[in-house]
Amino acid sequence: MYQGLKFFLGVYVLLLTVPLAAQPAKDPDLVWYESFFQGKKAPVDKALAKQQAALKNAVSKNDKAAEAAVLKEIGMLHLTGTENREQAMDYFIRALAIEDSLALNSKQVFTYMAIARVFSDIGDYNKSEESLENALVINRTLRNTLVHVTILNQLGQVRAVQGEREAALRNYEEVLAFKDEINDPRTEAAALFNIAHLQTQEGNYDEALATHKRALALSRSVRDKAGEALSLNDIGELYRLMKNNDKALANHVASLEVRQALKDRKGIADSYNNIGALYYQQKNYARAVANLQLALDAAREVQDQSQTLKSYEYLSASFKELGDYKKAWEFKDQQQLLQEFMNNDKNEHQLLETQNRYEIEKKESQIGHLQTLRLQREKELRTQKKLQNFLFLLVGLTVVVAALVLYLYLVKRRSNKILEAAHATVNEQNLKLQELNATKDKFFSIISHDLKGPLNSLTSFSGLLLHHTDSLSKEEIQMLAKDLDKSVKNLFALLENLLEWSRSQTGNIEFKPEVFDLNAVVEENRALLKAQAQQKKITLNNAGEGAWMVRAHKNSINTVVRNLISNAIKFTGEGGQITTRLRRQNGRVIIAIADNGVGMSPEVMKKLFRIEAKHSTKGTADEKGTGLGLILCREFVEKNGGQIWVESEEGRGSVFSFSVPPEGAF
Ligand code: ADP
């Protein structure tokens, strides 16, 4: 069993002893692990001394991770170099404890794989499987597929050795299921090679042959010479079992050539022995001897006892067939001696192994303890994860709520803005409405005020007609009727004016300027108000001569002139004088209406022209007023681009002046 296992693991290991550069993403820990099973090794003593120094260094620096790495390295040197498995186990367990405390999961995977090797080496396959299962569980969280399949290949090996062929096959088939993902032909070839072995054991030679050929093709595709030689050798053995000696020979020869190129002395011994055995079976004893001699040389060179034994056995048998009994006996003798030596060695080894096993299994309880710790920590991690998930959920919910609040706030802010805007619009409209209302009030006051003036002159005419009909001549009545007609027309014009003004207030009127003679307007108003003046024996003079052309809205200017003359009459006593003058000043035409009436104090003057002050006093003949005439005047003058002002002295009279743009103005 021991030899079988060794051969088996040898096969497996050799398949992995290939250049790894082609796989750029390969786990460095996996590369490290596999490097220990490569053919050529540095002298183990030197390597151990170097690692012991490194261990001291790591301990002195208290670098736990480095310490674990060195401990594992030493363990591997004992496992593969000194073959002191007890020591190896000791170091692995120390490494495992550190890795466990630092939660170095990816490192632990390989420690468990190494421990599994210790167990399989001492024949404790159950423990070996257990360790590999541990490695699988830890690696599952790391999701490293290449490591996963490497563990599976190792696990398959352990199961195959125990005769658990189906379980082993399942492991290898799982490796193959990952072949596209891992894209590593060597690992795939290893699984196929192992499957072919199982098939051979079960006597399914045809299937085994096909599987071996697939493995061979894969090895060739990546120029894996060692793998190719192994496959060729096994195919040769398979053909021998199938009794196809020609093909068996051809494959063994091909394998030999590759092994020679690789200078693989063990392999060469194996191939020559296989070829020799084939010739022996074919009863070609001379050729058998020639090959077996070469096998013996190579086997002795590398001290390969099993190959040497095989060479002795076949050489003895061949010489016997050739009739050279002396040589036959000599080789038989050597065979028996070696066999005995090997048996002793094996017994000794087994004894040692039993001791080892006892020691190692003692240590196993430590692994169990570590495992419990790991499980406990995993449980803690799971609880932590749950808590974390809960916190995530909480944070998520908070974020959602916050987002909702923010959204609602934004919506509210937007609606507030809309409301504010609506409010502003409403306010604006309110103001406009207030303004309109004020304008409306003003309008009604103005109508009542300005209608009164002309109506007064109308009543004067009608009074004259009514009370003096008999004393008036027909001509005089005609003249009065004419004046009456003129007054009515003027009143009509005034009404029109007022309506126009009201429209100006609502923004509907255009103060469209026209060129007209301001002096003519003065004259017209003097004529219109003459009768009114005459009643108070006031003289209305116009000092303006000729045409004074201006550019303004005629109707509104006419209203201003009429208002000012009207006021002058109103606030001048009997026998007074009113004079209208025109002049040019700063490129404008200025009209001044001067009276020698009651005049005004400076306080009263300050109140004029302003709607908010609205000053009004009764006239000299007790005439009532509203205090709006001058406000209207100011508005019309300013609308025409002019200015209005007053100079006055109490008891001496007043001068109301306003400016109008001249003809050429725009
Ligand atoms: P009303 O004449 O209807 O009162 P006005 O706006 O025309 O309204 O005039 C306002 C006031 O200004 C008058 O009530 C009066 O006190 C004063 N006023 C206007 N014109 C004269 C004037 N020529 N002489 C003295 N005071 C005047």
Side-chain angles (χ1 to χ4, degrees), residues 79-99:
L79 176 70
T80 59
T82 67
E83 297 190 7
N84 184 340
R85 299 189 177 85
E86 194 193 329
Q87 284 274 328
M89 192 64 153
D90 209 33
Y91 282 103
F92 290 145
I93 287 174
R94 281 166 68 190
L96 196 64
I98 295 174
E99 287 164 354

Side-chain angles (χ1 to χ4, degrees), residues 340-584:
E340 234 168 84
F341 174 79
M342 280 170 75
N343 284 346
N344 285 343
D345 197 41
K346 195 176 163 187
N347 288 341
E348 240 175 72
H349 210 95
Q350 272 174 347
L351 199 70
L352 211 71
E353 287 303 332
T354 317
Q355 278 174 0
N356 271 349
R357 194 171 166 159
Y358 171 71
E359 292 295 332
I360 288 165
E361 280 174 2
K362 254 198 333 198
K363 289 186 173 99
E364 194 227 320
S365 61
Q366 294 176 34
I367 299 178
H369 179 62
L370 282 175
Q371 215 166 315
T372 326
L373 278 179
R374 188 166 57 80
L375 287 175
Q376 212 174 323
R377 217 189 27 249
E378 271 169 14
K379 205 175 146 192
E380 271 168 28
L381 274 176
R382 270 201 299 277
T383 322
Q384 263 178 20
K385 188 113 199 160
K386 262 188 204 162
L387 189 74
Q388 205 179 28
N389 285 346
F390 174 72
L391 283 176
F392 273 140
L393 196 79
L394 204 72
V395 169
L397 269 174
T398 315
V399 167
V400 168
V401 169
L404 209 73
V405 168
L406 188 75
Y407 174 74
L408 287 175
Y409 166 74
L410 287 177
V411 166
K412 198 170 171 206
R413 205 173 67 166
R414 211 172 47 197
S415 50
N416 270 356
K417 266 189 186 165
I418 293 170
L419 265 179
E420 266 170 35
H423 206 73
T425 316
V426 167
N427 273 348
E428 211 176 290
Q429 282 172 350
N430 245 353
L431 272 176
K432 262 189 194 161
L433 272 176
Q434 275 172 11
E435 263 173 40
L436 274 176
N437 225 9
T439 310
K440 188 197 75 188
D441 290 345
K442 216 157 121 191
F443 175 66
F444 282 121
S445 315
I446 288 164
I447 284 176
S448 63
H449 169 267
D450 270 67
L451 281 179
K452 250 186 198 164
L455 276 172
N456 272 343
S457 49
L458 272 183
T459 5
S460 324
F461 286 130
S462 56
L464 267 173
L465 277 172
L466 195 68
H467 300 297
H468 305 282
T469 327
D470 296 337
S471 59
L472 286 170
S473 66
K474 197 183 169 188
E475 285 76 32
E476 280 173 323
I477 293 170
Q478 254 179 351
M479 226 167 72
L480 275 174
K482 234 182 187 176
D483 283 343
L484 198 67
D485 178 62
K486 216 173 172 186
S487 271
V488 171
K489 276 180 180 149
N490 264 315
L491 188 64
F492 183 71
L494 176 67
L495 267 177
E496 230 177 21
N497 242 352
L498 279 169
L499 283 170
E500 238 178 272
W501 176 78
S502 80
R503 276 195 281 141
S504 89
Q505 287 302 293
T506 48
N508 290 333
I509 190 168
E510 231 189 318
F511 275 80
K512 212 171 169 187
E514 57 181 297
V515 174
F516 63 91
D517 180 6
L518 183 60
N519 200 26
V521 171
V522 173
E523 259 317 305
E524 271 168 34
N525 279 293
R526 199 168 69 98
L528 181 73
L529 297 165
K530 213 172 173 180
Q532 211 179 316
Q534 264 173 7
Q535 282 194 336
K536 291 174 88 172
K537 298 195 176 63
I538 294 168
T539 326
L540 274 180
N541 302 311
N542 179 16
E545 275 178 21
W548 285 79
M549 300 309 285
V550 291
R551 187 181 169 81
H553 182 241
K554 194 179 171 185
N555 285 343
S556 57
I557 294 297
N558 184 48
T559 308
V560 178
V561 171
R562 192 182 56 245
N563 263 301
L564 293 180
I565 296 176
S566 203
N567 272 357
I569 297 169
K570 199 163 146 187
F571 296 105
T572 303
E574 286 212 354
Q577 291 271 336
I578 297 170
T579 312
T580 319
R581 286 191 179 84
L582 285 155
R583 69 174 194 272
R584 253 175 231 282

Side-chain angles (χ1 to χ4, degrees), residues 206-427:
D206 290 332
E207 275 179 32
L209 190 61
T211 315
H212 263 315
K213 280 183 177 171
R214 276 171 67 197
L216 177 65
L218 279 170
S219 297
R220 279 178 173 161
S221 77
V222 287
R223 292 195 177 77
D224 173 8
K225 288 287 171 193
E228 184 185 345
L230 269 173
S231 287
L232 285 169
N233 185 69
D234 275 40
I235 292 169
E237 280 301 277
L238 201 54
Y239 275 126
R240 190 178 62 78
L241 291 169
M242 292 162 86
K243 311 230 183 311
N244 187 339
N245 286 342
D246 287 346
K247 284 201 171 171
L249 189 62
N251 279 285
H252 278 307
V253 169
S255 175
L256 176 67
E257 277 167 9
V258 178
R259 283 167 162 176
Q260 276 171 332
L262 286 171
K263 295 192 172 65
D264 170 13
R265 303 301 291 162
K266 263 189 175 185
I268 291 168
D270 184 31
S271 287
Y272 275 129
N273 266 337
N274 288 335
I275 296 168
L278 264 176
Y279 279 126
Y280 177 81
Q281 273 179 5
Q282 288 178 310
K283 302 191 194 313
N284 190 340
Y285 303 118
R287 282 202 168 185
V289 167
N291 281 287
L292 291 164
Q293 287 283 9
L294 288 168
L296 187 61
D297 291 346
R300 277 177 173 162
E301 200 181 313
V302 287
Q303 295 173 347
D304 187 326
Q305 292 173 346
S306 56
Q307 292 300 339
T308 310
L309 193 71
K310 191 171 173 181
S311 301
Y312 284 154
E313 190 187 335
Y314 277 97
L315 275 168
S316 166
S318 298
F319 278 120
K320 195 177 161 191
E321 294 294 337
L322 285 169
D324 190 340
Y325 298 109
K326 196 179 165 236
K327 278 199 172 158
W329 272 114
E330 265 174 29
F331 281 117
K332 192 76 192 166
D333 219 28
Q334 297 218 36
Q335 185 201 341
Q336 275 167 354
L337 271 173
L338 183 59
Q339 187 69 62
E340 234 168 84
F341 174 79
M342 280 170 75
N343 284 346
N344 285 343
D345 197 41
K346 195 176 163 187
N347 288 341
E348 240 175 72
H349 210 95
Q350 272 174 347
L351 199 70
L352 211 71
E353 287 303 332
T354 317
Q355 278 174 0
N356 271 349
R357 194 171 166 159
Y358 171 71
E359 292 295 332
I360 288 165
E361 280 174 2
K362 254 198 333 198
K363 289 186 173 99
E364 194 227 320
S365 61
Q366 294 176 34
I367 299 178
H369 179 62
L370 282 175
Q371 215 166 315
T372 326
L373 278 179
R374 188 166 57 80
L375 287 175
Q376 212 174 323
R377 217 189 27 249
E378 271 169 14
K379 205 175 146 192
E380 271 168 28
L381 274 176
R382 270 201 299 277
T383 322
Q384 263 178 20
K385 188 113 199 160
K386 262 188 204 162
L387 189 74
Q388 205 179 28
N389 285 346
F390 174 72
L391 283 176
F392 273 140
L393 196 79
L394 204 72
V395 169
L397 269 174
T398 315
V399 167
V400 168
V401 169
L404 209 73
V405 168
L406 188 75
Y407 174 74
L408 287 175
Y409 166 74
L410 287 177
V411 166
K412 198 170 171 206
R413 205 173 67 166
R414 211 172 47 197
S415 50
N416 270 356
K417 266 189 186 165
I418 293 170
L419 265 179
E420 266 170 35
H423 206 73
T425 316
V426 167
N427 273 348

Side-chain angles (χ1 to χ4, degrees), residues 449-450 563-572 578 593-601 604-605 607-609 614-619 623-633 646-649 653-656:
H449 169 267
D450 270 67
N563 263 301
L564 293 180
I565 296 176
S566 203
N567 272 357
I569 297 169
K570 199 163 146 187
F571 296 105
T572 303
I578 297 170
I593 294 119
D595 64 64
N596 54 358
V598 295
M600 281 171 280
S601 66
V604 171
M605 276 197 283
K607 291 180 190 164
L608 301 183
F609 310 114
K614 222 174 116 219
H615 172 77
S616 180
T617 52
K618 279 187 179 173
E623 300 102 323
K624 275 187 188 163
T626 57
L628 281 167
L630 288 178
I631 294 158
L632 184 69
C633 286
V646 64
E647 294 144 289
S648 182
E649 209 179 309
S654 313
V655 184
F656 280 85

